[in-house]
Every structure is written in structure tokens, then in C-alpha cells.
Amino acid sequence: MTLPDESNRPENWNWVSVISVGEPIRLTAVEWNDFCSRINEFRNYSGLAQYSFLAVHQGDKITAAATNQALSAILEIPGHGDAPAAVSAGDKIYAELFNKLRDALNAIP
């Protein structure tokens, strides 16, 4: 197995929006799509194929399906950190999920 060249490692992801417990989550479609792009940068860095994410458009809610796609794409990357559990349609999605997705991605060496 060939290890990735750490000098090519993508930068850690940080949310631009405030994502904190007890506060409303106001991610924009652009920010979510940028997060998915960063996941693909990490996948490429790790030698994996690009993941085909559902596009999120302005005014769309980020659904369980979209968050579960991000989760699946991260879980396939070797070295990911602790990840949140998948969510089901109709579940409330809390700040902790978004922060755990970020942390799981950023743990990739």
C-alpha cells in the first residue's frame, strides 16, 4: 500500500457558519457543497474515486440523505476520525452531527 504524500494533504475543514449546540444551523448551500468538495479532495489525496454527492441548491434543506452521503464518503477514507451515526429521514439534525463530520474528515493523516 502506498501512503499519501502528506505535503499534498488538503487543508482541514472549518465551517464558516456558526455551528454550535443550542443555536439554529444556518448553513448555506454553497458552504455545504464546498464541504462535499473538500471531502472529495481528501478522497483524491487518499487514492479514492470522487464521490457523487446530491447537489444542494439555495433554499434547500440539508436532508438526512445528504448528510448520510457525506458520512459514507468520509467513512471510506482510511484514517478518518470518530464519525457520527447515520440519520434517518425525518430525524432532527443537530449541530453535533456537522461538527463530528468535520472532525472525522480533519482526522485523516
Side-chain angles (χ1 to χ4, degrees):
M1 176 177 161
T2 304
L3 296 175
D5 177 358
E6 290 183 19
S7 67
N8 293 328
R9 183 186 181 278
E11 291 185 23
N12 281 349
W13 176 260
N14 287 301
W15 297 111
V16 175
S17 301
V18 175
I19 308 281
S20 58
V21 176
E23 297 295 322
I25 299 167
R26 289 184 167 74
L27 286 178
T28 65
V30 169
E31 188 171 7
W32 179 256
N33 291 329
D34 287 348
F35 177 60
C36 293
S37 293
R38 184 64 53 87
I39 293 169
N40 272 329
E41 289 176 22
F42 272 95
R43 288 176 64 83
N44 183 56
Y45 161 75
S46 298
L48 298 173
Q50 298 282 297
Y51 196 96
S52 181
F53 293 99
L54 295 170
V56 175
H57 303 284
Q58 184 177 349
D60 290 351
K61 291 187 180 211
I62 298 172
T63 63
T67 57
N68 287 336
Q69 279 190 328
L71 175 61
S72 294
I74 292 169
L75 290 177
E76 292 175 359
I77 305 171
H80 67 78
D82 292 336
V87 292
S88 298
D91 287 354
K92 285 189 177 186
I93 300 175
Y94 295 98
E96 181 180 30
L97 176 119
F98 293 100
N99 289 331
K100 283 186 173 183
L101 286 172
R102 176 203 60 208
D103 294 347
L105 184 67
N106 290 343
I108 296 164

